[in-house]
Amino acid sequence: MMSRRDCNDADAAINPAATEVCDGVDNNCNNLVDDSATDASTWYADSDKDGFGNNLKTTKSCSQPAGYVSNNSDCNDTAATTFPGAPELCDKLDNDCNGVVDDNPTNPSTWYIDSDGDTYGDPAASAAVSACNQPSGTVVDSSDCDDGNALVFPGATES
């Protein structure tokens, strides 16, 4: 095996036994600049391009590689709507990475209490419930004119 020769006699810090560091110089005379540099930063893959990286997919480099970021705080690197501080959506994902799915969503549905079970809800604002999924005892229709009587609802037969 052929040993490498000193590639810069003018600088004693540059030689075949030198440690490679991030400085734009071939410190160890192997014809590669900053390769395996001991002070290289760890970069995290950002597959969904939301600016937050995956702590399981890393690379070391002196400069930021394309598709990588400096943080590893993404809890789901396959969904661009999921990252720390993201608005929570009704999508069965933990968008804001707080460990809770669909908590305090920005896009909940409005459901209306149906006290009499006629599938028409009370239109009063106090009878409205915001949630991602339909709570028990609620309906989507808020057109009941008497939610205390199951025989009274829009389209009911007059008697």
Side-chain angles (χ1 to χ4, degrees):
M1 181 167 135
M2 188 170 150
S3 65
R4 289 179 282 180
R5 295 184 174 264
D6 192 343
C7 58
N8 187 341
D9 284 335
D11 189 337
I14 299 174
N15 63 74
T19 300
E20 193 72 40
V21 294
C22 293
D23 61 0
V25 174
D26 177 15
N27 305 101
N28 61 6
C29 299
N30 68 350
N31 294 320
L32 299 171
V33 174
D34 294 343
D35 66 303
S36 301
T38 58
D39 60 344
S41 296
T42 300
W43 301 94
Y44 304 90
D46 182 18
S47 301
D48 59 11
K49 297 176 180 28
D50 62 6
F52 296 86
N54 181 339
N55 68 338
L56 301 176
K57 295 181 182 175
T58 64
T59 190
K60 286 197 156 277
S61 178
C62 292
S63 58
Q64 183 175 1
Y68 285 79
V69 294
S70 61
N71 71 74
N72 65 348
S73 54
D74 205 336
C75 61
N76 182 345
D77 200 36
T78 62
T81 58
T82 302
F83 55 86
E88 192 69 48
L89 305 172
C90 289
D91 59 1
K92 296 182 176 37
L93 297 173
D94 177 16
N95 302 100
D96 58 9
C97 296
N98 71 349
V100 182
V101 174
D102 293 345
D103 62 312
N104 301 312
T106 60
N107 65 337
S109 296
T110 301
W111 307 93
Y112 299 91
I113 295 172
D114 180 17
S115 299
D116 58 17
D118 62 3
T119 70
Y120 294 89
D122 186 338
S126 61
V129 177
S130 292
C132 291
N133 300 310
Q134 184 176 8
S136 178
T138 66
V139 293
V140 72
D141 188 310
S142 67
S143 61
D144 202 337
C145 57
D146 183 353
D147 200 40
N149 185 340
L151 300 176
V152 178
F153 57 86
T157 303
E158 289 290 331
S159 57

